[in-house]
Amino acid sequence: MSSPPTAGTRPAPAGQPEQGPAPKKRLHWSLRIVLGLFGIILGVVAMAALGVTFIVALTYPKLPDLDTLTDYRPKIPLRIFSADGVLIGEFGEERRNLVHFKDIPEIMKKAVLAIEDDRFYEHGGVDYQGIARATFSNLSGGSGGASTITQQVARNFFLTSNEPTFLQKATRKFFYEIPLAWKIENNLSKDQILEVYMNQIYLGQRAYGFASAAQIYFGKQLKELSIAESAMLAGLPKAPSAYNPVVNPKRAHARQQYILLRMRQLGYITDAQYQQARDEQLRVKGDSSAFGMHAEYVAEMARQLVYSQYKDETYTRGLNVFTTITKTDQDAAYIALRRGIIDYERRHGYRGPEGYMDLPEGSREVVEDAIEVELADHPDSDDMIAAVVTEAKPKEITAVLATGEEITIAGSGLGFGANLLSDKAPPQKRIRRGAIIRVFQDGKNWIITQMPEVESAFVSVNSQDGAIRSLVGGFDFNRNKFNHVTQAWRQPGSSFKPFIYSSSLEKGLSPATIINDAPLTFTQTGGQVWQPKNYGGKFEGPISMRRALQKSINLVSIRILERVGVKYAQEYITRFGFDADKNPPYLTLALGAGAVTPLQMVGAYSVFANGGYKVSPYLITKVTDANGGVLSQARPATADDESNRVIDARNAFIMDSMLRDVVRHGTAVKAMSLKRTDLAGKTGTTNDSMDAWFAGYQPGLTAIAWIGYDQPKSLGDRETGGGLSLPVWISYMSKVLKDVPNVDRKVPDGVIESGGEYYYAEYPPAAMVRDLGMGDRAGLTPEEEKAKTQMKNELF
């Protein structure tokens, strides 16, 4: 009897012997692969965990303290403001505004998150999926990054190295950046990290943080940005140069469109908002250094003044400088001066294109890219925009702007340069394909213009304390930083005559004094003959001082200076703030042949405007620290302080009456278009029309306009201060005096009026003389005889 089969054996079929043990059942091959891969993954994970633990143990204790983050105090630049709080300038290596998280608009936050780190509020500082994608991309020859916002904060604050290779970058990322990101996440809230990031990140144009970028690129506060503008700024952190809307508008636009699409995909904006933002036309500020108004010369003056006191701290401690200028005054001065210069340029003809470029063959994109590069060397000047001609016909020009926009110029828009469209035009001046021209837009029409070669200056001050209300140092600060208000020493011409007249009042002359306007000849040292002439070459004969000033007669001024004495006059003019050594004691002083600056002139004319007091033009009212604490405060000299008096009140009054008549009846009669009775001033034109001035005032406001070439040359035979500079002054005054009432002057003590003329009491008029110059003395009293003799002697 056979025994039962033992365990593990197979029973034998009938008639056959028993077989050996049954083989074990094996897993299917696919299952074995899956289990094997799982084991490998577990091993890798375990090794990674051990590696991470090792990295943390090794590097965490050595990571830097986070004091700079937990007590975030960035370098805040010097900021310059107008008197009414408009930001006009910012100086420092880092231009930034510190904005708290609650004050950052939600749409700005969402735009940044959409493109930089949409899982920011979900991860713990490191996006592992992103790291895996970036690693694979780099190993396969591509490029990519996976830095979260937290990692970017870590890198920007604490890791300054710039490793060139992938291995070096990976080493830094895993051994320093990632552990530091974890540490930051453990010490700061998500909102705090995002706040630091949005204040610290570099965004091009020396702008750090989105608040500063909003001001620089769009001239707006952060809260004023549209969705489209927010998306444009959000595209900057990755590559501030490549996506800079000023330098690379097309690339910036393409990235903005992608960010808007991401915002819609993530549900941050609605379809309607996306459509509106996608189609919005943005106005990026071509001059990224400009702020709330064109006051670049003012900002630079203020910077120099503050630096002289605070040195290098000027650019880091967050100083706020409040100036005396107002937006209304500054805008009016800027517009008036530019309009005056452009009008002058149009009177003197078109000089031709700014240059030429060879346009490449190829697609429109290739041509536009080449134009964009070329026009980077021809920056816009406010509304005067550079363009490259792509097609020139006798009656139409097609041109492309740096933005890629194609424009057409036709009809009256061609007027200025029409003669240079002809094939007969000089080749070096002809408008042809590749010509770089300057245009501006008037409504929907484009018009050819040109950048001026002539320069200019305008400054106005409060006559009572010298506070500068407007200052424009030249046509365009970015083309010429030389401040013509403070730095240009020029001959004042006839605008200097009132100071000679003023000196004569102290020597017994009066506005009624009769002076002979007749030819004069002087033999100078070395035998050289000087024969001064009047403008126009005519002579008036005997004429009163009042009338001679109205007509700006040169020979009368010279005779007055002869009577006063050149040494006395040279000393006298220093009362007004002029330098004696810049105005030598020669008879040419009567014609304004010395040297003055527009800033000196505005202070000097203020003496006539305010009744005889010297006030010093000043620019800064106060300087505060980053917390608003006042560090310095201006205490200007004022016109109500008798210690500041430099000329007799009677002198100031009589000179004012004479200068008002220059406006009513003389060379400045155009100013009567303002329909005011309290305006006074004097035109000035130097020899060969090299300088054109108008210096004038209303009792509370004094303003000076000057136009000329940096390398002195004639402005043109018919160009005068009355034709060039006076219209600028009128344009400015028409804006700023709009709601200012007329001011009448009271006759001061010690002045007597007789026959409609004013005299010092100690130099009374000879109004009793009945027959001056007739030789009949019958019936005259001794007093009348004395007066008649005096009057005859004054005919010189």
Side-chain angles (χ1 to χ4, degrees), residues 498 549 605 655-656 658-663 667-668 679-683 694-697 729:
L549 187 62
Y605 268 81
M655 286 306 305
D656 174 72
M658 296 173 73
L659 290 169
R660 289 192 185 204
D661 272 357
V662 173
V663 171
T667 57
L679 302 179
K682 183 70 184 74
T683 55
F694 185 75
Y697 59 86
W729 189 90

Side-chain angles (χ1 to χ4, degrees), residues 26-38:
R26 300 183 66 183
L27 295 173
H28 191 271
W29 64 270
S30 60
L31 184 58
R32 291 201 305 272
I33 291 173
V34 171
L35 291 175
L37 288 174
F38 183 69

Side-chain angles (χ1 to χ4, degrees), residues 606-614 644-649 652 745:
S606 292
V607 177
F608 296 140
N610 64 31
Y613 300 91
K614 181 68 177 78
N644 298 322
R645 179 174 291 285
V646 290
I647 64 172
D648 193 309
R745 267 220 165 115

Side-chain angles (χ1 to χ4, degrees), residues 105 107-108 111-112 210 218 222 225-235 259 263:
I107 199 64
M108 188 72 253
V112 170
F210 287 92
F218 296 111
L222 203 54
L225 294 180
S226 67
I227 295 173
E229 291 167 335
S230 298
M232 179 69 78
L233 295 186
I259 293 171
M263 293 175 74

